[in-house]
Each structure stands twice: as structure tokens, then as C-alpha cells.
Amino acid sequence: MAAAWPCARLMAACLSPSERAICASRSPLAMLICSCLRPSDAAISARLESTRPHGEQSPAWIRRQLDKVDQALAAASRGLGEKPWCSGNAFTLSDIAVGVALGYLDFRFPHIDWRDRHPNLARLAEKLARRASFAETLPPSP
């Protein structure tokens, strides 16, 4: 079932076997959402760990979480390829999910240089940023 939907590679790369089984028992839309939430979940975990007092932080934990983010970005980039949108020629929920994840990285991890490593994701993010729904929901500037 997972191979029938466009982001199957993202799901395979970003979810553990048990997470894939849970998502596969639901609709293709649920599988997509599960896949796109995984990189956000890892980024949030890294962010929360970095807010702990310095003596209590685990740099190894933060690195593991950011490695998951890197893997998810690579998988999303491969899945997007040169298509105009994540699922082909039409704007869908998958574009929203990827756009939100990329926006979170920009907001909380501006030092991660994902745009140079994944120019196709950068083009998608720029296209999404021009949409009113994205522009109107940007977090406040520091």
C-alpha cells in the first residue's frame, strides 16, 4: 500500500518499522502525515534538549535527532525531485506538511543550511512562502 503513494520513500526513510506499521494501518493521508511529522518531531526533540541547563544537555542526543532531520530532508528532496509539488502537478496536504517542517527548521535552527544541500526543497519553500496562508502564519521575528 505504501508504494502506491508519492511519499513512500519519505515514509520508508523517516519512520521505524513499528511506526510504518501503525501508519500503514490507516489511510494513505495518515501515512503521509506520519512521515512529515517525523522530521518535525526530531527537530522539536533536539530543540527541547538544547534548552535544558548546559550541564544536563546531551550533545549526542541532539546530534542523533539532527541526523534524523538530515535523513528526512534527503528523503524529501529525493521524493520531490524536479516535480513542481510533492505529489506531482497539484498543491496538496503533502506540500503543506513539508512546508511547515521546513519553516520550523528556519525558525528554530537557522544555522542548518538545508537550502544549499537541497535546492529543490528551497524552491518549494519559496513557492509556499508566496502563498497567503504561509505568509500570514509566519512566527514573529525576534
Side-chain angles (χ1 to χ4, degrees):
M1 177 180 195
W5 64 291
C7 295
R9 285 184 298 239
L10 180 60
M11 186 179 97
C14 299
L15 299 178
S16 69
S18 61
E19 290 168 327
R20 283 195 300 272
I22 291 168
C23 288
S25 68
R26 292 169 174 80
S27 70
L29 178 59
M31 291 169 25
L32 168 67
I33 292 169
C34 287
S35 298
C36 293
L37 290 180
R38 179 63 185 259
S40 297
D41 184 48
I44 291 167
S45 293
R47 167 72 178 155
L48 289 175
E49 184 67 19
S50 71
T51 63
R52 296 177 68 193
H54 284 287
E56 298 176 21
Q57 290 180 17
S58 171
W61 172 260
I62 294 170
R63 184 72 251 151
R64 278 194 307 274
Q65 299 311 308
L66 293 179
D67 285 346
K68 291 177 188 178
V69 171
D70 287 341
Q71 292 168 8
L73 287 169
S77 180
R78 284 190 307 273
L80 176 59
E82 295 304 316
K83 297 181 302 224
W85 299 105
C86 291
S87 295
N89 292 322
F91 175 73
T92 66
L93 183 58
S94 57
D95 301 293
I96 296 169
V98 171
V100 168
L102 295 175
Y104 182 79
L105 290 178
D106 283 343
F107 180 60
R108 292 295 184 194
F109 297 94
H111 63 279
I112 294 177
D113 187 22
W114 61 266
R115 281 180 169 77
D116 284 343
R117 288 182 288 142
H118 308 290
N120 60 341
L121 291 178
R123 285 190 300 275
L124 176 66
E126 290 165 12
K127 188 180 339 182
L128 291 170
R130 292 190 297 268
R131 295 180 67 86
S133 57
F134 275 80
E136 293 168 2
T137 56
L138 286 174
S141 298

